[in-house]
Amino acid sequence: MEVFVQQLINGLTLGSIYGLIAIGYTMVFGIIGMVNFAHGDVFMVGGFIALLFFMVMTAWLGLAVLPALMIVLVLGMVFTGLWNWAIERVAYRPLRGSFRLAPLISAIGMSILLSNLVQVLQGPRNKPVPPMFTQVLPLFEQNGYTVGIGYKQIVIMVVTAVSLAIFWYVVQKTPLGRAQRACEQDQKMASLLGINVDATISLTFVMGAALAAVAGVMYIMYYGVVNFSDGFIPGVKAFTAAVLGGIGSLPGAVIGGLLIGLIETMWSAYFSIDYKDVAAFSILAITLVFLPTGLFGRPEVEKV
Amino acid sequence: MAARQDASAADRPAFDLAAAVKDAGFAALVMLGLSVPILALRSDQNMSNQLVLAQRWDSVVLACVLVFFGRIAVAWLRRGKAAAPSKPFVLPPVLARTGPPAALAFVVAYPLLMLALNGPLGSIKWIDNFGIQILIYIMLGWGLNIVVGLAGLLDLGYVAFYAVGAYSYALIATQVIPATYPDLGLWAFWICLPISGILAGLWGIILGFPVLRLRGDYLAIVTLAFGEIIRLVLINWVEFSGGYAGISSIPRPSFFGIPFNASDIGFAAVFGLEFSPIYRTIFLFYVILILALLTAAISVRLRRLPVGRAWEALREDEIACRSLGINTTNTKLTAFAIGAMFGGFAGCFFAARQGFISPESFVFLESAQILAIVVLGGMGSLAGVVIAAILLVGGIEILRELDFLKQVFGPDFDATQYRMLIFGLAMVLMMLWKPRGLISTREPSIVHRERKAISGSLVKEGHG
Amino acid sequence: MTAPLLSLHHLSMRFGGLLAVNDVSFDVRRGEITALIGPNGAGKTTVFNCITGFYKPTEGMIALTHEDGTRFLLERLPDYRINEKARVARTFQNIRLFQGMTVLENLLVAQHNPLMAASGWTVLGVLGIGGYRRREQEAVDKAVAWLERIGLVDRADDPAGDLPYGDQRRLEIARAMCTDPVLLCLDEPAAGLNPRESLELNALLRSVRDRDGTSVLLIEHDMSVVMEISDHVVVLDYGIKIADGAPDEIRNDPKVIAAYLGVEDEEVAAVEAEVGA
């Protein structure tokens, strides 16, 4: 029981990070029907941007951790958004409406490019940051085992919840969100009705990247380390989350992320830590094969 | 924004410098934004393992200036051309007829040519790193071409079958044969080659079966997942596969029973030659050449058989196929199995050539590279695969050779660390340049009166 | 009296809350051209998709009987088997040719199953043994014969996607006929054809019926085609069969006229009272 509760807390924390990344996949797929293969690497770039700004804030400007983190969060969202904007503009937009495989190959190339660019620019070694929010809030004790929730876990959950709330507001209540949903339904019609489709798609990429940047900041805070190759596996897991939730569905992405986080921690705790990535990939395969619409996706009727 | 400029450029071919400068200025500004944290600052560990920041504002300025002038140069090159659609690339008939035989003659003569030019020791690198390496990828490209190019099934986990082939050979040759029929040791490669192919083909069916009803990107992701699962199992199931350490001392192929070593029964001694490692390299070159040619020959044959036409029909329109009585499940499975089988052959050869394998050789990047070769070559085109493999694999290998760059960028410059960076960039640029691949026309599989190439714009890319 | 070629018994098809086809029964008789007509959204294409196996009906039975008495329950066969075993071929409302393949290749793909057997399920074909070459030549001859019938023999080596619209329609029919069907289902074959092409189509469909002995079931909006060539007409409206009979009877059926004229809701009752429904 005590182990289970502890893993539940850990799993939800990890799941929050996956959920934030998953939204980027699901939004891009929803609007242009493309698996943005490079999104995991955008998340990694976001982590590096956050790391560098965090160093600037603390080492150069001497800010305390909490204000530094808040500034880093905002800067990270802006600069990662710019990265994804540029990526979409350069590598995907010219291929829109062309051969279907071309954007996918381009995205795979972009993924390779990003991780190796970061490797060249920042070096191949792990980048450690000093531990933050190390205190743990004890919840209860059972059988001599203290179940606690780390301050950083609280921070992650709160930041995730706030980001999602803002994001939800933007998508549901603003003209931008409406334009986005219109483009999802029918791009041609949307453009006939005066919606700037290109700009809407660009903004979708920017928003996805901004959430990935939040995930990047949380990732560094949680693990205390980031590496140029950290985009691939979290990226695949977040994509799994998006698929599990039903690709195209925003609440689905978040719930899928939480589920994947829970499954991963539970699997590690109760089965074998070695095979935790195998578990994630198996869930991906099983979901796609047996439940391709995911938990909250719209069923697709084959048109004859 | 670019579209609007392109349109105005078509009306008025004159070069609009002001607009180009404005656009380039904007691009340089974006570059500045992109490079602010990640290029301008570099994080390094100091002695006490803490991160410290170093600054590189000179590089940022350089990057922005490069982008600014690069953008202007691109605008200058594109002036007035925007409206004209690029013509599909069609080989001139003379070249189409004489090209393949000439290329084949060159490849057959290649090891001897290198030997004559560079001597026995100097030519190993050229025959092995360029010749054999490129031929392996050509063979893999041709194998995957059956799945992706002909049947239109997007497979991002092709490397799994390569791994199955390699591990089949490695395990049988190092464990099974010594334990059961040690006398056959010298023939291990020749016995295992068909077994590896068949095992890989079986895995193709096993992995193919559940995913057949998926389409497009979903199929790609599931195949990626399967590829990764196989690799992760190879890493974690240490008793079976040796884990990260892999399998070493894998027997090398023999010359039909005659080993390539310095002993009295070795190849050199039997043929009265002075011992040199080059003979094995040359022999391996011809083995992979024959395997690759076999793949090509079978692909060409299959395309003209009903199953090949059904693959292509499947790529064009699956629903129409079903209305014509074609069992699409079986058709897809045969494509998966045959493609996987060639991957298995190539894997078996790879293990025998390296003498050592580990899960490191079967990462997702390999699948991406093979897929990039197929797509860049032009889907379904055998010649395209050859050109793309030479460009991509040869290009990466040649980056190892660029020592002279050290004189330009200083002695710290290491070209190899830029290899994958350039590879990724090349993938993006090539897709932007030719989204349908280098050879996008399709050759009909049967002709009534007159052979006509089919423009790539009509050919579908498949739905799953 | 032998059983009719095709008989639908109480066919219903539900998509979620929508009952697209509601308890429809009718027969398609051997050696006849049967037309299935009705306003847009009447469920005609859904009936077609049930017959050809692309949808599995929610309820009902679709029985197809060959001349030798073999009976097939189409709702139980997987889609490709319906063509292979029960010998029902179809065309599509939005033409589904293999656009990037040549006209000739399209017709060879249609002969996939016999050619597959001739190539020894690929094994013998790859090795180049067995009589595959000869069988393939026969298949080409058959394809060319069809191309001559539809006047496209000169375009045999052109990609199907390059053909004009009317030629694509005819090619799709020829492709379906290359599977040697006993029943040919055509989904709006005359849509988008000009009057001359429409006449050619009529001649082609008659020759399919009379020369090849293949019965035809077609969905059509063009009443001139329907009245001209069909032996039997079935009318659907809102998923329900409202009439079934010879073209002349249908032409004068007030229910059909009402359905087609799309009378206002209030007037339906009046029209129905008039016709005594």
Side-chain angles (χ1 to χ4, degrees):
Chain A
M1 178 63 197
E2 60 284 351
V3 178
F4 179 79
V5 173
Q6 186 65 64
Q7 294 306 331
L8 195 70
I9 295 168
N10 295 349
L12 289 177
T13 315
L14 190 59
S16 311
I17 296 177
Y18 291 151
L20 285 170
I21 312 174
I23 288 176
Y25 279 109
T26 220
M27 281 209 304
V28 167
F29 191 90
I31 202 160
I32 54 173
M34 162 195 172
V35 177
N36 181 9
F37 212 90
H39 191 65
D41 295 278
V42 169
F43 152 76
M44 180 273 300
V45 168
F48 266 90
I49 289 174
L51 170 88
L52 293 166
F53 278 129
F54 186 75
M55 297 296 301
V56 171
M57 296 300 151
T58 53
W60 289 2
L61 302 178
L63 287 180
V65 170
L66 194 64
L69 211 58
M70 286 166 81
I71 299 171
V72 163
L73 211 51
V74 174
L75 287 177
M77 286 167 81
V78 170
F79 281 93
T80 314
L82 182 68
W83 266 95
N84 218 19
W85 178 85
I87 291 168
E88 192 272 337
R89 187 71 190 73
V90 171
Y92 307 151
R93 191 182 296 178
L95 295 172
R96 210 185 295 151
S98 136
F99 198 53
R100 187 178 55 84
L101 280 183
L104 184 72
I105 300 286
S106 184
I108 293 173
M110 201 33 104
S111 159
I112 296 170
L113 175 66
L114 285 178
S115 57
N116 284 281
L117 183 72
V118 172
Q119 182 190 11
V120 166
L121 293 180
Q122 299 291 332
R125 294 176 64 184
N126 277 342
K127 303 288 171 185
V129 286
M132 295 170 242
F133 308 115
T134 42
Q135 300 96 316
V136 175
L137 187 71
L139 292 178
F140 63 92
E141 199 179 313
Q142 199 175 26
N143 307 334
Y145 183 96
T146 312
V147 175
I149 178 163
Y151 279 23
K152 60 184 172 189
Q153 290 178 314
I154 298 174
V155 171
I156 290 174
M157 289 185 200
V158 169
V159 170
T160 305
V162 170
S163 320
L164 288 179
I166 296 171
F167 169 77
W168 186 248
Y169 177 80
V170 170
V171 171
Q172 291 296 324
K173 305 283 180 198
T174 62
L176 166 65
R178 197 160 49 237
Q180 233 163 14
R181 279 175 287 138
C183 290
E184 246 175 68
Q185 297 287 325
D186 188 336
Q187 277 183 28
K188 209 172 270 173
M189 196 60 214
S191 80
L192 285 174
L193 293 174
I195 292 171
N196 185 339
V197 175
D198 279 349
T200 310
I201 292 173
S202 284
L203 271 167
T204 306
F205 274 85
V206 170
M207 281 163 67
L211 290 176
V214 176
V217 177
M218 300 298 116
Y219 184 87
I220 292 194
M221 205 176 76
Y222 196 50
Y223 289 103
V225 67
V226 65
N227 182 275
F228 75 96
S229 62
D230 278 350
F232 183 66
I233 293 283
V236 172
K237 285 179 184 162
F239 181 76
T240 309
V243 168
L244 190 62
I247 201 150
S249 153
L250 297 175
V254 178
I255 292 167
L258 294 177
L259 278 175
I260 292 292
L262 281 174
I263 291 167
E264 185 179 331
T265 46
M266 295 295 170
W267 184 283
S268 306
Y270 292 103
F271 296 102
S272 138
I273 196 155
D274 289 340
Y275 283 93
K276 74 176 166 56
D277 291 345
V278 174
F281 282 114
S282 308
I283 291 165
L284 175 60
I286 291 167
T287 316
L288 281 176
V289 171
F290 295 105
L291 192 69
T293 53
L295 298 172
F296 301 95
R298 288 180 292 264
E300 190 186 334
V301 178
E302 187 177 49
K303 282 260 199 278
V304 178
Chain B
M1 191 161 70
R4 217 179 308 141
Q5 280 170 2
D6 290 349
S8 64
D11 302 334
R12 180 165 40 91
F15 182 57
D16 186 349
L17 187 67
V21 168
K22 213 170 121 195
D23 178 57
F26 179 67
L29 210 63
V30 170
M31 188 66 219
L32 179 68
L34 294 182
S35 49
V36 158
I38 218 139
L39 174 61
L41 304 171
R42 182 187 164 106
S43 52
D44 280 306
Q45 278 100 326
N46 64 9
M47 291 301 179
S48 53
N49 207 27
Q50 280 172 321
L51 281 190
V52 288
L53 290 180
Q55 302 184 54
R56 295 182 287 207
W57 294 99
D58 49 342
S59 310
V60 175
V61 172
L62 184 69
C64 294
V65 168
L66 278 178
V67 165
F68 181 79
F69 286 106
R71 193 74 199 164
I72 290 183
V74 169
W76 170 256
L77 289 172
R78 279 200 193 148
R79 69 191 187 284
K81 277 191 206 162
S86 62
K87 272 194 205 144
F89 173 75
V90 183
L91 275 178
V94 184
L95 213 64
R97 221 174 314 112
T98 59
L104 184 61
F106 173 74
V107 175
V108 170
Y110 178 79
L112 307 174
L113 211 67
M114 286 297 129
L115 206 56
L117 285 174
N118 300 311
L121 283 178
S123 55
I124 285 187
K125 181 180 82 189
W126 292 100
I127 299 173
D128 195 52
N129 292 359
F130 286 88
I132 295 179
Q133 186 76 0
I134 292 175
L135 280 171
I136 290 179
Y137 279 95
I138 289 177
M139 175 161 176
L140 287 169
W142 279 340
L144 184 62
N145 183 49
I146 292 175
V147 185
V148 180
L150 295 183
L153 302 165
L154 189 47
D155 185 352
L156 275 181
Y158 191 61
V159 79
F161 307 121
Y162 190 43
V164 168
Y167 273 87
S168 301
Y169 173 61
L171 288 171
I172 296 173
T174 59
Q175 318 261 329
V176 179
I177 290 182
T180 49
Y181 301 100
D183 299 347
L184 290 174
L186 280 176
W187 289 91
F189 176 73
W190 300 104
I191 296 167
C192 293
L193 187 63
I195 299 177
S196 305
I198 290 166
L199 284 176
L202 279 178
W203 274 96
I205 294 174
I206 293 169
L207 296 188
F209 198 74
V211 305
L212 286 174
R213 55 208 188 96
L214 298 177
R215 305 162 152 262
D217 294 350
Y218 275 19
L219 179 72
I221 299 293
V222 175
T223 49
L224 182 154
F226 281 154
E228 286 296 299
I229 289 172
I230 287 193
R231 185 176 70 88
L232 290 167
V233 168
L234 287 175
I235 288 175
N236 288 306
W237 193 4
V238 179
E239 311 86 77
F240 174 74
S241 63
Y244 275 115
I247 299 173
S248 50
S249 339
I250 302 169
R252 317 297 296 269
S254 62
F255 185 79
F256 308 105
I258 304 172
F260 287 96
N261 57 23
S263 70
D264 288 346
I265 56 155
F267 179 81
V270 170
F271 288 87
L273 299 160
E274 196 180 329
F275 175 75
S276 161
I278 190 72
Y279 300 126
R280 168 153 61 206
T281 309
I282 293 178
F283 177 65
L284 285 173
F285 180 90
Y286 285 113
V287 169
I288 186 67
L289 178 61
I290 288 166
L291 284 175
L293 289 178
L294 201 68
T295 311
I298 292 177
S299 299
V300 168
R301 273 232 131 121
L302 286 172
R303 248 195 104 221
R304 293 184 188 149
L305 285 171
V307 72
R309 277 193 208 110
W311 288 337
E312 292 200 84
L314 203 61
R315 179 190 67 200
E316 297 281 319
D317 193 327
E318 179 171 347
I319 287 173
C321 279
R322 286 192 261 153
S323 84
L324 296 172
I326 295 176
N327 182 340
T328 50
T329 309
N330 285 355
T331 309
K332 287 180 183 177
L333 274 182
T334 31
F336 246 86
I338 293 176
M341 187 181 74
F342 288 123
F345 288 141
C348 176
F349 175 83
F350 175 77
R353 170 222 186 190
Q354 301 291 101
F356 162 75
I357 52 167
S358 75
E360 285 288 287
S361 305
F362 308 103
V363 290
F364 165 68
L365 199 63
E366 292 290 313
S367 290
Q369 196 168 345
I370 304 164
L371 182 69
I373 287 172
V374 174
V375 175
L376 175 66
M379 301 236 303
S381 163
L382 294 185
V385 164
V386 175
I387 300 171
I390 292 173
L391 281 177
L392 283 180
V393 183
I396 290 175
E397 288 298 321
I398 213 125
L399 284 176
R400 290 185 206 269
E401 306 296 320
L402 299 181
D403 280 341
F404 71 90
L405 286 176
K406 282 204 165 91
Q407 278 139 31
V408 184
F409 294 103
D412 296 338
F413 185 83
D414 176 15
T416 52
Q417 71 165 346
Y418 291 91
R419 275 170 66 204
M420 294 322 293
L421 179 69
I422 293 172
F423 175 69
L425 187 66
M427 263 170 94
V428 175
L429 291 180
M430 283 173 167
M431 278 302 111
L432 294 177
W433 174 49
K434 284 206 176 294
R436 287 184 169 272
L438 294 168
I439 299 185
S440 59
T441 53
R442 178 181 171 271
E443 282 286 311
S445 65
I446 190 161
V447 175
H448 180 49
R449 279 184 203 145
E450 185 194 354
R451 178 169 292 277
K452 298 172 188 168
I454 297 168
S455 147
S457 57
L458 286 172
V459 180
K460 299 275 193 307
E461 70 271 35
H463 300 278
Chain C
M1 170 89 201
T2 55
L5 174 64
L6 178 77
S7 49
L8 278 70
H9 298 287
H10 306 290
L11 185 74
S12 292
M13 180 77 206
R14 184 184 287 281
F15 296 105
L18 174 78
L19 194 56
V21 177
N22 186 0
D23 196 24
V24 168
S25 306
F26 66 86
D27 287 349
V28 174
R29 288 190 291 270
R30 218 175 292 281
E32 285 192 355
I33 295 177
T34 306
L36 185 60
I37 65 170
N40 284 329
K44 304 178 299 282
T45 300
T46 307
V47 169
F48 250 51
N49 284 336
C50 289
I51 294 173
T52 51
F54 286 93
Y55 294 159
K56 291 292 159 222
T58 320
E59 274 170 55
M61 187 174 91
I62 309 167
L64 183 115
T65 316
H66 281 183
E67 216 150 7
D68 62 8
T70 328
R71 191 151 166 269
F72 298 91
L73 293 178
L74 300 188
E75 77 277 6
R76 297 192 186 159
L77 287 179
D79 46 18
Y80 73 94
R81 285 270 173 186
I82 289 179
N83 179 278
E84 190 188 355
K85 295 290 167 206
R87 316 198 79 83
V88 177
R90 70 169 291 175
T91 65
F92 297 87
Q93 197 172 340
N94 46 340
I95 306 176
R96 284 184 176 272
L97 287 170
F98 306 121
Q99 305 216 338
M101 300 174 83
T102 65
V103 169
L104 181 62
E105 283 177 313
N106 267 274
L107 298 187
L108 285 183
V109 171
Q111 303 179 54
H112 176 80
N113 287 317
L115 283 176
M116 200 66 187
S119 74
W121 283 271
T122 309
V123 179
L124 299 179
V126 169
L127 300 173
I129 48 180
Y132 176 67
R133 284 260 152 265
R134 190 177 43 78
R135 253 320 264 118
E136 188 186 46
Q137 191 51 50
E138 285 168 22
V140 171
D141 293 343
K142 178 171 166 186
V144 170
W146 267 104
L147 289 178
E148 273 159 4
R149 271 176 83 174
I150 61 172
L152 284 179
V153 75
D154 290 335
R155 309 218 48 180
D157 295 318
D158 287 328
D162 270 356
L163 296 181
Y165 190 79
D167 290 351
Q168 293 201 14
R169 283 250 175 246
R170 285 207 307 284
L171 178 61
E172 205 190 12
I173 294 172
R175 186 181 70 178
M177 285 305 294
C178 277
T179 63
D180 291 326
V182 293
L183 174 66
L184 176 65
C185 299
L186 304 172
D187 199 344
E188 299 196 21
L193 300 190
N194 63 34
R196 190 182 52 80
E197 288 172 330
S198 200
L199 285 179
E200 284 173 8
L201 176 76
N202 289 354
L204 178 65
L205 294 187
R206 282 206 191 89
S207 86
V208 162
R209 177 189 60 190
D210 302 333
R211 196 170 134 190
D212 303 286
T214 299
S215 314
V216 178
L217 172 64
L218 61 101
I219 294 176
E220 193 44 75
H221 277 299
D222 185 338
M223 279 306 134
S224 64
V225 174
V226 171
M227 294 304 159
E228 177 76 24
I229 63 166
S230 41
D231 306 297
H232 179 100
V233 179
V234 177
V235 191
L236 293 187
D237 191 22
Y238 292 110
I240 299 169
K241 185 174 90 170
I242 58 169
D244 183 347
D248 286 337
E249 298 163 33
I250 296 299
R251 201 197 306 259
N252 302 315
D253 188 327
K255 261 197 286 185
V256 178
I257 296 170
Y260 264 87
L261 292 177
V263 290
E264 299 292 322
D265 278 353
E266 312 85 73
E267 293 172 37
V268 170
V271 174
E272 281 183 345
E274 221 172 280
V275 301

